[in-house]
Amino acid sequence: MTVTSGEPSAPIESPEPGESSGLPLTDLLHAAVAAVGGSERPGQVAMAHAVAEAIEGGTHLLVQAGTGTGKSLGYLVPALAGGDRVVVATATLALQRQLVERDLPRTVEALHPLLRRRPEFATLKGRSNYVCLHRLHEGVPQEDEDGLFDPFEAVRQTVGGPSSKLGKDLLRLRDWADETETGDRDDLTPGVSDRAWAQVSVSSRECLGASRCAYGAECFAEAARERAKLAEVIVTNHALLAIDAIEGAPVLPGHDVLIVDEAHELVSRVTGVATGELTPGSVNRAVRRAARLIDEKIADQLQTAAETFERLMELALPGRLEKIPEDLGYALLALRDAARAVITALGTTRDASVADEDAVRKQALASIETIQEVAERITQGSEFDVVWFERHDRYGASLRVAPLSVSGLLREKLFAERSVVLTSATLKLGGDFNGVGASLGLAPEGEHGEEFPEWKGLDVGSPFDYRKQGILYVAQHLSPPGREGSRADMLDELAELVEAAGGRTLGLFSSMRGAQAAAEELRGRLDLPILLQGEETLGELIRAFADDERTCLFGTLSLWQGVDVPGPSCQLVVMDRIPFPRPDDPLVSARQKAVEEAGGNGFMAVAATHAALLMAQGAGRLVRATGDRGLVAVLDPRLAKARYGAFLRASMPDFWYTTDRNQARRSLAAIDAAARAAAS
């Protein structure tokens, strides 16, 4: 269930900071913790009081709460106690599910007799996350290379039923749509491919609108929005929060308090939402969608512009475009003008021969509007945008535009009219919150003014004794990593460490190529199961890794932040190198240059901060429970030798630190022996 309904929320008197309904906040927290079967932590209590104070005072708070603190209740209890409308935005599906399926229902039930009201809560996501009944039942045309087709008609005409994976997924989606209460893709288990979901969902631009849609009264997305309007707590994701900040029209209901969990991800998610892209494939699809609905002359104009753009993209070389080349500028202007003409034409023409013409028109209009907006944005040449070419081995070239910084946007849109609490296990980098604060548009702590809002940073620590539970080992004797080529000494070191640990290894690599090379090498050397990201779904890999203590799991970015395996299955976490962004990444290099031109240290502000966040998250995979023991091994000597190494180490959990390779092996062998003894 995504909603809890109860008694109407009765008005309550404004509570004192940290108290509600005459009850101390600690009593409310105690009741909630007992309800979820947990135990109170000092850090959780400190966090709850700080959140209550920020909400009461209308101020802003950054809270670093380590793994095991119980930060969800640390913000939910004071938020519910205050009685204000609250939006909670998270980055991962796992945390959203924990909140709406476990923490919120139990907390509401526990606090109901104490608060004398039962707060309602709801989940709200972007429209494309919900199945569209119109598209599901009417079979809105989609295009392929030969023209338009109805995917469900293709399934219906297959003798003996669908045999393809797509066909099976589509029929399963149709059956599921008759049973689901939410229509939310995340409630579909097992899931379906992106291609299958695209056949039954629409973007906000493609939606006909409830008043014009035959299925408007039954629409899952509209129902979710109606529930959110009535809820006291709305759980959403960073992407929808970003859209709410960027778009002119709000997509979230009005609220008094915003809580951003997994806040270390926010800048990246906002940047992604604010990034525009043009590819020959997307432009050609838009041409096909619009061609049947408009005058032939206007369609030819768009087709000619698309062909010119495609020819230029075939020659495009990856890299930043500090100045738009003349030929590309003309091509983009032609695309923009042709798209404008098509948008005008789509508003005035009708084609009675096209079934369900309104839906087809909406889909075409959405595609053309995207082309027009991105082309215009690039040709305007804002100093606050970065434009670059990318080339993918499979998908070819793309033209992208992204904001040089989102800090000003976040300062203006996030902090202006509500109290904001941002929390994560990794917000304090290099010893303070100022790096993350700057990325969010905040001045250094204590230096607020008319332009910069006041905020406070709080590190509530962790219930774990990191210095007794973990070791940070840096292999300073290894050769430094280069941009190309294998590192034979690194692979030797990795094999020895994994063998000493008896498996039990999570290998975090900076590239998929590095993970593949290491997996291939160790599979030939060691008699241990080596799992590799991409060879199975991530969920299956993590389950297999957790179930067999001898197993190792190697992979890239999603493993740095997405693995929660307490116990003896994960006692060695290895990082092959410091995960700096690629030096030739156009957006990263542009952001570093901008910091330097403003008198700052671009490398530390951008590249080192990026690496520090990832290393803090990666190292956090080791200790997930009070009984965990293990070692984090960084096979990059720069962490010990480079000047920035101290900044990166200060951003990681406070493990006992060593560069002694023999000590590392002895420790791993002892941990392995203890785990074997405990299992026997």
Side-chain angles (χ1 to χ4, degrees):
M1 287 287 290
T2 58
V3 179
T4 292
S5 296
E7 303 163 3
S9 298
I12 61 173
E13 294 182 3
S14 299
E16 294 299 317
E19 296 189 5
S20 177
S21 300
L23 290 171
L25 184 63
T26 48
D27 289 354
L28 299 174
L29 184 62
H30 180 75
V33 170
V36 300
S39 57
E40 284 183 14
R41 311 280 192 184
Q44 184 185 56
V45 175
M47 177 180 179
H49 281 283
V51 171
E53 185 178 337
I55 293 174
E56 175 66 17
T59 57
H60 310 302
L61 178 69
L62 272 65
V63 186
Q64 177 162 290
T67 303
T69 303
K71 61 182 169 63
S72 296
L73 292 188
Y75 60 71
L76 285 178
V77 171
L80 290 169
D84 294 319
R85 169 77 67 81
V86 179
V87 167
V88 179
T90 74
T92 62
L93 172 61
L95 182 53
Q96 288 175 41
R97 282 183 169 165
Q98 177 187 317
L99 288 172
V100 299
E101 296 177 7
R102 179 177 179 269
D103 292 349
L104 271 167
R106 296 180 185 182
T107 302
V108 165
E109 204 59 39
L111 298 187
H112 173 217
L114 302 176
L115 297 177
R116 300 188 299 278
R117 58 188 173 86
R118 189 190 301 275
E120 297 180 356
F121 60 89
T123 303
L124 184 60
K125 303 175 184 178
R127 189 171 293 273
S128 61
N129 289 277
Y130 301 94
V131 67
C132 171
L133 294 174
H134 186 282
R135 178 161 289 186
L136 185 79
H137 294 298
E138 302 300 327
V140 174
Q142 298 282 313
E143 73 286 340
D144 63 6
E145 294 302 317
D146 300 318
L148 299 173
F149 75 99
D150 176 353
F152 286 103
E153 186 62 30
V155 170
R156 286 191 291 269
Q157 292 178 358
T158 303
V159 177
S163 58
S164 69
K165 174 72 164 57
L166 176 62
K168 292 177 180 177
D169 281 348
L170 289 174
L171 287 188
R172 188 158 66 85
L173 280 166
R174 174 164 285 178
D175 292 338
W176 172 76
D178 291 334
E179 303 166 356
T180 178
E181 295 181 11
T182 66
D184 185 340
R185 182 180 182 178
D186 294 331
D187 292 340
L188 175 65
T189 305
V192 296
S193 67
D194 289 345
R195 185 184 176 199
W197 186 257
Q199 310 298 329
V200 298
S201 64
V202 296
S203 67
S204 57
R205 284 185 169 179
E206 294 171 320
C207 176
L208 290 173
S211 62
R212 296 175 58 196
C213 179
Y215 300 88
E218 308 165 65
C219 177
F220 291 116
E222 290 298 322
R225 276 154 178 72
E226 289 303 313
R227 289 193 294 265
K229 289 178 183 177
L230 301 174
E232 188 172 314
V233 178
I234 301 147
V235 179
T236 188
N237 52 45
H238 288 184
L240 197 63
L241 178 63
I243 293 169
D244 186 70
I246 293 168
E247 300 289 340
V251 294
L252 292 171
H255 50 281
D256 308 295
V257 179
L258 170 64
I259 297 171
V260 183
D261 205 339
E262 302 167 311
H264 63 280
E265 287 275 359
L266 183 62
V267 169
S268 175
R269 299 299 172 98
V270 173
T271 299
V273 170
T275 298
E277 181 181 37
L278 286 177
T279 67
S282 64
V283 172
N284 287 329
R285 281 193 296 274
V287 172
R288 289 197 298 271
R289 287 172 175 173
R292 293 181 62 190
L293 304 172
I294 57 177
D295 179 83
E296 185 176 348
K297 182 179 179 181
I298 299 174
D300 287 345
Q301 180 187 353
L302 181 61
Q303 180 69 51
T304 301
E307 290 171 354
T308 302
F309 176 70
E310 184 170 14
R311 285 195 298 272
L312 287 174
M313 293 297 286
E314 289 172 354
L315 304 173
L317 297 176
R320 183 183 178 187
L321 300 173
E322 295 203 40
K323 183 179 179 181
I324 304 301
E326 188 175 7
D327 54 355
L328 178 62
Y330 283 132
L332 291 172
L333 287 172
L335 265 182
R336 181 201 66 183
D337 293 342
R340 283 177 176 171
V342 172
I343 291 169
T344 300
L346 285 172
T348 58
T349 61
R350 290 288 184 270
D351 185 349
S353 67
V354 178
D356 206 348
E357 196 258 1
D358 274 348
V360 178
R361 181 179 302 279
K362 262 291 199 179
Q363 186 182 58
L365 190 60
S367 300
I368 298 298
E369 285 177 339
T370 298
I371 291 173
Q372 186 266 328
E373 289 170 5
V374 176
E376 183 160 40
R377 179 179 173 186
I378 295 174
T379 54
Q380 283 178 342
S382 169
E383 62 179 307
F384 302 110
D385 272 340
V386 180
V387 181
W388 73 96
F389 282 128
E390 278 190 9
R391 184 167 289 280
H392 191 281
D393 292 341
R394 180 177 177 185
Y395 302 111
S398 65
L399 179 62
R400 311 194 79 192
V401 56
L404 180 61
S405 170
V406 296
S407 59
L409 173 70
L410 289 172
R411 180 172 62 248
E412 178 188 353
K413 301 293 187 180
L414 224 60
F415 298 97
E417 297 179 353
R418 54 195 166 185
S419 177
V420 182
V421 174
L422 300 109
T423 184
S424 167
T426 48
L427 288 180
K428 195 175 180 180
L429 303 180
D432 61 48
F433 292 93
N434 290 332
V436 170
S439 71
L440 297 166
L442 301 173
E445 188 173 5
E447 297 182 17
H448 62 91
E450 193 170 308
E451 182 182 356
F452 294 96
E454 180 180 0
W455 64 279
K456 175 183 174 183
L458 175 66
D459 181 359
V460 300
S462 167
F464 306 141
D465 189 341
Y466 284 121
R467 292 190 68 79
K468 291 184 178 179
Q469 291 185 247
I471 298 170
L472 172 60
Y473 162 59
V474 181
Q476 68 172 3
H477 62 282
L478 296 179
S479 58
R483 291 194 63 185
E484 301 294 339
S486 63
R487 299 169 60 201
D489 59 346
M490 185 275 289
L491 292 173
D492 290 340
E493 181 83 9
L494 176 62
E496 292 175 15
L497 290 170
V498 172
E499 188 171 29
R504 315 175 192 276
T505 302
L506 178 65
L508 305 177
F509 293 82
S510 58
S511 70
M512 200 62 226
R513 182 182 300 176
Q516 291 167 342
E520 182 179 348
E521 180 73 19
L522 265 64
R523 282 168 175 170
R525 289 196 193 192
L526 305 177
D527 184 23
L528 292 167
I530 309 291
L531 305 177
L532 178 63
Q533 185 179 353
E535 293 182 346
E536 183 53 84
T537 65
L538 189 58
E540 289 297 325
L541 289 172
I542 293 173
R543 275 191 288 273
F545 175 55
D547 289 345
D548 181 3
E549 295 177 10
R550 299 178 65 252
T551 295
C552 304
L553 173 58
F554 292 177
T556 55
L557 185 59
S558 53
L559 297 186
W560 287 76
Q561 305 184 79
V563 178
D564 184 10
V565 179
S569 290
C570 183
Q571 294 187 324
L572 171 61
V573 174
V574 179
M575 305 180 197
D576 69 327
R577 62 193 295 167
I578 298 171
F580 291 123
R582 291 192 343 261
D584 59 351
D585 182 294
L587 188 54
V588 168
S589 59
R591 287 177 169 176
Q592 289 190 185
K593 182 179 178 182
V595 172
E596 289 160 4
E597 289 175 348
N601 186 322
F603 170 77
M604 291 300 296
V606 181
T609 295
H610 171 92
L613 279 172
L614 273 180
M615 295 189 79
Q617 286 285 314
R621 302 309 98 198
L622 181 69
V623 176
R624 310 298 295 177
T626 53
D628 286 352
R629 301 287 186 277
L631 181 142
V632 173
V634 180
L635 309 185
D636 187 336
R638 296 175 296 177
L639 188 62
K641 297 179 178 180
R643 293 176 63 184
Y644 52 76
F647 170 78
L648 298 176
R649 294 197 305 272
S651 304
M652 300 167 72
D654 186 26
F655 296 131
W656 188 79
Y657 175 62
T658 185
T659 58
D660 185 334
R661 60 190 304 195
N662 294 321
Q663 177 65 57
R665 284 157 180 72
R666 287 195 300 269
S667 298
L668 283 172
I671 293 168
D672 177 44
R676 290 174 184 271
S680 62

